[in-house]
């Protein structure tokens, strides 16, 4: 009986030791969150480690995450980091019961890892970014040392009876939990207050009427077919693909953009108000992410308001390579350290490349790049659509590889001709008779000339095209199908205005975008 009682006491102490590790990890994260509010939210250990993990993840793995988790990929990563930390904290607590100093040192080690991750990020401000992880680790390490001390027998002669300070442990553990919760809540509150200026600056923005408004969307550009994508994608449902674990909240009143580099007469610095005082253009432009698989959701069409980027570059003295300019690459930098390389020739060839300040008639949302983002029609976003932009450097492709190029993506990436079936959905069970097949096709900056549908292995038949807005937007299409009972495969392909037919060859998204025909399988009742 005595042995059984001692065994139960040992298990209880082991469980409380694991709880001590968990509380220490919780305290470390809470203190780090509080300190990061004074430094910057991106320096918090979870964000720093997550960002470093994204930086070092192979392109294929990133693509897998986007494909399977969509816009929740960052949440999945953060939850994974927290789950890993929780398991390690439990283990360190159990280890500390026998090796008290080693357990506490383990907490410190993870703080060092977080600090190194924070200072290795492209947007790191230096040693200050290490402070949240280090401060949290010191507090967590000290707390684990204290809690484990309370679980240890108070005298060697009482070891057999397990004479440890139960009351003292419960008081200390409860106090630590309450204090940690308070520290975390205070950190979140301070972080929220720090973002208030940015939120207020967006609320105060009144977009001027564009000097060059977009032409009215033609009647008939939006087909009245249930299940088809809206011709204009609402801002709140427009796709988001980026590497920012914390969406930057940039104050428009303090934001500045610097233009410099090869071919620039002298560096130019512009404020947000400088941009709003210029002649603005408004254009309907469809954006596509290079991670969009055949038939995927990462494409959307919106109305954008901004400043012609080519005008700014010409005023700074920049010439495209075709006119003797020394720079063939424009590297845009975001406030979160992202770098995107864009061909200078494409920016200055007459297309409506812009620094956008508005989307669908309103200031950009923070998620989509407020206060200013770049976009270039006809190029995948990873080589053209820098959000939260703050710096433009003129350089060459030989001299510099941007973020995604270093990770095996192509340097130049014009959007491929693609089409998608929106309705019927895969594995749908429509009734026999006339079934309306419909969807969208895109070939930005070339335009869509034809869309064709094939049922099973039958002949290609032309779909009816909706009215075209511009060559920079997608185009809707429809086809009335006389559906017969049984299983059928519906396939679509598009032809752009250069005469290029969408290729059947199926490729993945790496290195320059997916290709292939989109198909859906349905069963007609």
């Amino acid at each position: 009986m005595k042995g059984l009682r001692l065994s139960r006491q040992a298990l209880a102490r082991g469980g409380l030791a694991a709880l001590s590790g968990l509380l220490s990890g919780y305290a470390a994260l809470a203190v780090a969150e509080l300190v990061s509010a004074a430094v910057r939210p991106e320096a918090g250990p979870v964000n720093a480690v997550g960002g470093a993990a994204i930086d070092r993840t192979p392109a294929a793995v990133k693509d897998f995450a986007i494909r399977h988790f969509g816009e929740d990929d960052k949440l999945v990563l953060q939850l994974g980091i927290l789950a890993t930390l929780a398991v390690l904290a439990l283990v360190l607590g159990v280890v500390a019961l026998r090796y008290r100093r080693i357990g506490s040192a383990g907490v410190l080690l993870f703080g060092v890892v977080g600090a190194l991750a924070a200072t290795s990020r492209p947007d790191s401000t230096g040693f200050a970014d290490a402070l949240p992880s280090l401060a949290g680790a010191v507090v967590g390490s000290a707390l684990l040392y204290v809690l484990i001390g309370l679980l240890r027998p108070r005298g060697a002669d009482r070891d057999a009876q397990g004479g440890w300070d139960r009351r003292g442990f419960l008081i200390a553990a409860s106090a630590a939990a309450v204090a940690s919760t308070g520290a975390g809540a205070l950190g979140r509150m301070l972080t929220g207050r720090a973002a208030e200026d940015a939120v207020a600056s967006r609320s105060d923005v009144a977009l001027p009427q564009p000097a060059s408004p977009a032409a009215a969307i033609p009647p008939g550009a939006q087909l009245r077919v249930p299940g088809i994508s809206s011709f204009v994608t609402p801002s709140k449902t427009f796709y988001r693909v980026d590497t920012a674990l914390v969406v930057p909240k940039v104050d428009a009143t303090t934001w500045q953009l610097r233009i410099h580099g090869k071919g620039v007469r002298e560096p130019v610095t512009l404020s947000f108000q400088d941009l709003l005082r210029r002649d603005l253009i408004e254009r309907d432009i469809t954006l596509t992410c290079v991670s969009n698989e055949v038939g995927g959701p990462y494409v959307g069409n919106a109305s954008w308001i901004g400043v012609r980027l080519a005008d700014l570059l010409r005023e700074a003295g920049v010439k495209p390579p075709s006119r003797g300019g020394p720079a063939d690459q424009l590297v845009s930098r975001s406030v979160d350290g992202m770098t995107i390389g864009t061909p200078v020739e494409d920016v200055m060839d007459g297309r409506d490349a812009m620094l956008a300040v508005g989307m669908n008639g309103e200031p950009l949302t923070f998620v989509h790049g407020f206060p200013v983002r770049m976009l270039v029609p006809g190029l995948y976003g990873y080589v053209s659509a820098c959000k939260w932009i703050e710096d433009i450097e003129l350089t060459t492709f030989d001299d510099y590889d941007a973020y995604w190029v270093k990770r095996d993506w192509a340097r130049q990436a014009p959007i491929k001709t693609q089409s998608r079936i929106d309705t019927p959905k895969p594995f749908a069970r429509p009734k026999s008779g006339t079934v309306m097949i419909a969807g969208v096709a895109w070939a930005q900056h070339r335009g869509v000339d034809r869309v064709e549908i094939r049922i099973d292995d039958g002949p290609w038949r032309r779909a009816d095209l909706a009215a075209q807005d511009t060559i920079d937007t997608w185009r809707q299409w429809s086809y009335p199908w006389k559906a017969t009972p049984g299983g059928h495969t519906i396939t679509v392909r598009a032809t752009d205005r250069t005469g290029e037919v969408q290729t059947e060859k199926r490729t993945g998204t790496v290195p320059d975008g997916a290709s292939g025909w989109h198909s859906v399988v349905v069963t007609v009742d």
Side-chain angles (χ1 to χ4, degrees), residues 485-509:
H488 298 282
T489 299
I490 307 169
T491 305
V492 64
R493 71 180 184 187
T495 302
D496 67 29
R497 288 195 166 183
T498 70
E500 181 180 349
V501 180
Q502 180 180 342
T503 178
E504 179 183 9
K505 183 179 179 182
R506 197 75 175 228
T507 63
T509 57

Side-chain angles (χ1 to χ4, degrees), residues 199-215:
V199 174
S201 73
R202 182 180 183 275
S203 298
D204 291 341
V205 173
L207 294 176
Q209 288 297 314
S212 175

Side-chain angles (χ1 to χ4, degrees), residues 33-246:
E33 186 166 19
L34 178 59
V35 176
S36 68
V39 178
R40 62 192 192 102
E42 295 84 355
V46 174
N47 294 326
V49 171
I54 291 173
D55 290 344
R56 290 161 178 78
T57 299
V61 177
K62 284 190 180 75
D63 208 44
F64 173 87
I66 293 171
R67 187 165 62 251
H68 287 82
F69 302 117
E71 295 186 14
D72 293 327
D73 59 340
K74 300 168 187 63
L75 176 61
V76 170
L77 175 60
Q78 290 171 315
L79 291 176
I81 292 172
L82 290 173
T84 302
L85 290 176
V87 171
L88 292 173
L90 291 168
V91 171
L92 285 175
V94 174
V95 169
L97 188 60
R98 185 174 180 87
Y99 305 103
R100 190 178 179 190
R101 292 182 179 177
I102 292 177
S104 295
V107 177
L108 286 175
L109 178 61
F110 283 106
V112 172
V113 171
L116 291 174
T119 54
S120 71
R121 298 286 291 129
D123 60 335
S124 174
T125 59
F127 178 73
D129 282 355
L131 294 178
S133 293
L134 294 178
V138 169
V139 171
S141 177
L143 178 60
L144 181 60
Y145 194 85
V146 170
L147 291 178
I148 292 299
L150 295 172
L151 288 175
R152 289 193 164 194
R154 288 175 292 186
D157 59 329
R158 302 188 64 178
D159 184 53
Q161 288 77 36
W164 47 277
D165 189 355
R166 293 174 176 80
R167 184 171 180 272
F169 177 84
L170 291 174
I171 292 173
S174 299
V178 171
S180 299
T181 300
L186 179 60
R188 288 188 292 275
M189 182 185 71
L190 293 175
T191 298
R193 286 184 177 177
E196 287 179 359
D197 288 343
V199 174
S201 73
R202 182 180 183 275
S203 298
D204 291 341
V205 173
L207 294 176
Q209 288 297 314
S212 175
I217 297 174
Q222 173 71 63
L223 297 179
R224 296 182 178 180
V225 178
I228 198 170
S229 302
S230 173
F231 180 76
V232 176
T233 309
S235 301
K236 64 181 180 181
T237 58
F238 204 96
Y239 76 88
R240 176 199 170 194
V241 177
D242 54 55
T243 63
L245 289 176
V246 177

Side-chain angles (χ1 to χ4, degrees), residues 138-471:
V138 169
V139 171
S141 177
L143 178 60
L144 181 60
Y145 194 85
V146 170
L147 291 178
I148 292 299
L150 295 172
L151 288 175
R152 289 193 164 194
R154 288 175 292 186
D157 59 329
R158 302 188 64 178
D159 184 53
Q161 288 77 36
W164 47 277
D165 189 355
R166 293 174 176 80
R167 184 171 180 272
F169 177 84
L170 291 174
I171 292 173
S174 299
V178 171
S180 299
T181 300
L186 179 60
R188 288 188 292 275
M189 182 185 71
L190 293 175
T191 298
R193 286 184 177 177
E196 287 179 359
D197 288 343
V199 174
S201 73
R202 182 180 183 275
S203 298
D204 291 341
V205 173
L207 294 176
Q209 288 297 314
S212 175
I217 297 174
Q222 173 71 63
L223 297 179
R224 296 182 178 180
V225 178
I228 198 170
S229 302
S230 173
F231 180 76
V232 176
T233 309
S235 301
K236 64 181 180 181
T237 58
F238 204 96
Y239 76 88
R240 176 199 170 194
V241 177
D242 54 55
T243 63
L245 289 176
V246 177
V247 175
K249 297 287 181 68
V250 181
D251 186 342
T253 63
T254 59
W255 174 88
Q256 289 186 324
L257 172 71
R258 183 169 179 251
I259 302 175
H260 61 104
K262 294 183 177 182
V264 177
R265 282 190 295 267
E266 59 182 66
V268 176
T269 300
L270 298 166
S271 69
F272 187 68
Q273 288 301 317
D274 288 335
L275 292 184
L276 294 188
R277 282 191 287 266
R278 298 182 65 93
D279 288 342
L280 302 182
I281 63 172
E282 179 185 41
R283 297 291 184 267
D284 298 333
I285 298 172
T286 297
L287 300 187
T288 309
C289 179
V290 73
S291 293
N292 194 49
E293 292 211 328
V294 173
Y298 302 121
V299 55
N301 184 55
S303 173
W304 306 90
I305 295 176
V307 175
R308 287 187 187 276
L309 182 52
D311 290 348
L312 291 175
L313 296 178
R314 290 191 189 96
E315 290 174 17
V318 177
K319 296 180 180 179
S322 60
R323 296 189 179 184
D328 61 6
Q329 179 180 208
L330 180 157
V331 175
S332 50
R333 290 182 171 84
S334 166
V335 299
D336 71 341
M338 172 59 64
T339 56
I340 287 178
T342 309
V344 174
E345 197 69 48
D346 290 348
V347 171
M348 303 185 73
D349 69 356
R351 70 185 74 192
D352 291 314
M354 70 171 79
L355 294 179
V357 296
M359 178 183 185
N360 291 335
E362 298 181 344
L364 296 170
T365 62
F366 289 107
V367 165
H368 293 299
F370 181 83
V372 181
R373 70 174 294 167
M374 192 175 93
L375 58 90
V376 182
L379 303 182
Y380 284 116
Y382 85 99
V383 294
S384 67
C386 184
K387 296 191 284 189
W388 314 295
I389 189 172
E390 66 172 2
D391 186 273
I392 291 175
E393 179 183 3
L394 280 299
T395 182
T396 66
F397 284 105
D398 289 339
D399 287 345
Y400 186 83
D401 284 339
Y403 181 93
W404 291 111
V405 174
K406 293 176 183 177
R407 289 154 179 82
D408 300 327
W409 296 84
R411 286 179 170 179
Q412 302 189 39
I415 295 172
K416 298 177 180 179
T417 301
Q418 285 285 295
S419 52
R420 183 180 74 197
I421 300 169
D422 286 343
T423 184
K425 299 295 184 185
F427 311 115
R429 301 186 70 93
K431 301 295 183 182
S432 60
T434 301
V435 173
M436 190 62 74
I437 305 170
V440 289
W442 58 92
Q444 289 94 310
H445 208 57
R446 300 185 302 279
V448 172
D449 184 63
R450 184 170 68 248
V451 173
E452 297 168 294
I453 290 295
R454 186 176 70 183
I455 307 300
D456 300 321
D457 294 321
W460 289 101
R461 301 189 182 279
R462 283 204 179 200
D464 297 319
L465 289 175
Q468 178 173 280
D469 185 3
T470 75
I471 61 171

Side-chain angles (χ1 to χ4, degrees), residues 506-517:
R506 197 75 175 228
T507 63
T509 57
V510 182
D512 61 356
S515 68
W517 295 339

